[in-house]
């Protein structure tokens, strides 16, 4: 199965679980949700969101807390899932602004629209599509956010080029994502990424910076927001047949959540 199909199947199943009031997690055996997704949203944000929007949140950060959104702006969330970051963004840009959510999974889109209706938010639109081919015109949004979805794409260069295309000149790219710091053996990297991201694919920190620059962005910045400890993954790695103690020194502090910022220049290169 290719990466896109695997992601669609997994997140479709998660959406169905949430609608049936079952706990959401990438895989009960992986136990990957708790150390990654816990404590990302404030109590105030919990109070204004439908419960199922929170249950369906499988990100690794809270991009809406780290980007300055202004009244009247247009925001696009790549891989919007149950809609939590779209609904929060819609509140911040106000009735003169708009928040789009883009997702490829029918079940997540259905859940997100139900959450929108429950929240009573009208300046929101959920779109079906792939983040590698965003169904919006050139220069049509002010801000792009995403919550640990770009790491799931098998063609990150195309995602970043598409993000650059749909941003207005001066527009901001502000996403949370899983990032790898440094290099180590492929077998270890694959096992840790399967745990951290549920499907391997996170970029190394400097590689992320280079890809953003190659897509045309400037002002690239990366802020670490959470560090994943080897103990968080001990159960999963042991089940996978890996001697955790023997690899601890190679893995500890290497997998992180990061807030990645960049800007589309006012004048783009030809």
């Amino acid at each position: 199965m290719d990466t896109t199909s695997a992601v669609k199947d997994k997140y479709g199943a998660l959406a169905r679980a949430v609608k049936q009031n079952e706990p959401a997690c990438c895989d009960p055996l992986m136990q990957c949700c708790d150390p990654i997704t816990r404590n990302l949203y404030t109590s105030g944000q919990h109070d204004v969101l439908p419960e199922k929007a929170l249950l369906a949140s499988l990100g690794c950060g809270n991009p809406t807390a780290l980007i300055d959104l202004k009244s009247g702006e247009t925001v696009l969330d790549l891989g919007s899932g149950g809609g939590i970051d779209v609904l929060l963004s819609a509140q911040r840009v106000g009735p003169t602004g708009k928040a789009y959510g883009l997702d490829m999974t029918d079940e997540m889109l259905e859940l997100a629209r139900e959450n929108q209706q429950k929240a009573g938010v009208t300046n929101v639109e959920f779109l079906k599509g792939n983040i590698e081919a965003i169904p919006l015109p050139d220069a049509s949004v002010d801000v792009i956010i995403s919550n640990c979805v770009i790491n799931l794409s098998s063609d990150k260069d195309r995602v970043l080029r598409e993000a650059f295309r749909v941003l207005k000149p001066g527009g901001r790219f502000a996403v949370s994502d899983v990032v790898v710091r440094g290099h180590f053996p492929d077998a270890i990297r694959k096992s840790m990424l399967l745990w951290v991201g549920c499907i391997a694919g996170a970029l190394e920190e400097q590689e992320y910076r280079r890809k953003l620059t190659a897509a045309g962005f400037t002002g690239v910045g990366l802020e670490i927001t959470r560090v994943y400890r080897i103990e968080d993954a001990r159960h999963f790695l042991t089940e996978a047949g890996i001697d955790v103690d023997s690899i601890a020194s190679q893995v500890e502090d290497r997998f992180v959540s990061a807030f990645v910022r960049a800007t589309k220049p006012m004048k783009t290169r030809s």
Side-chain angles (χ1 to χ4, degrees), residues 115-127:
N115 288 329
Q116 176 190 356
Q117 186 175 16
K118 290 177 182 176
V121 179
T122 58
N123 59 331
V124 161
E125 184 176 351
F126 289 101
L127 307 170

Side-chain angles (χ1 to χ4, degrees), residues 202-219:
L203 290 173
E204 193 273 330
E205 178 180 356
Q206 296 307 319
E207 185 181 11
Y208 212 137
R209 294 176 185 272
R210 288 193 294 270
K211 287 182 180 296
L212 281 164
T213 300
F217 287 99
T218 58

Side-chain angles (χ1 to χ4, degrees), residues 156-200:
K156 297 173 183 62
D157 291 311
R158 187 174 176 186
V159 174
L160 298 179
R161 289 195 300 268
E162 277 290 276
F164 188 87
R165 177 185 67 79
V166 301
L167 278 171
K168 299 175 184 178
R172 289 109 69 207
F173 177 89
V175 309
S176 293
D177 218 343
V178 175
V179 177
V180 180
R181 297 193 292 186
H183 299 278
F184 40 87
D186 288 343
I188 296 174
R189 186 181 197 278
K190 181 177 180 181
S191 295
M192 283 298 291
L193 283 171
L194 284 170
W195 173 73
V196 173
C198 302
I199 292 179

Side-chain angles (χ1 to χ4, degrees), residues 37-53:
T37 65
R38 67 188 176 205
N39 302 326
L40 298 178
Y41 296 92
T42 66
S43 58
Q45 291 173 324
H46 281 228
D47 292 342
V48 299
L49 291 167
E51 181 182 6
K52 289 184 178 179

Side-chain angles (χ1 to χ4, degrees), residues 35 188 191-192 195-196 227-238 242-255:
I188 296 174
S191 295
M192 283 298 291
W195 173 73
V196 173
V227 178
Y228 303 133
R229 309 295 180 185
I230 188 67
E231 286 303 318
D232 292 330
R234 180 174 288 276
H235 173 76
F236 168 66
L237 292 174
T238 300
I242 296 173
D243 182 350
V244 174
D245 295 321
S246 70
I247 68 167
S249 62
Q250 301 177 69
V251 172
E252 190 71 21
D253 297 341
R254 298 289 188 92
F255 293 84

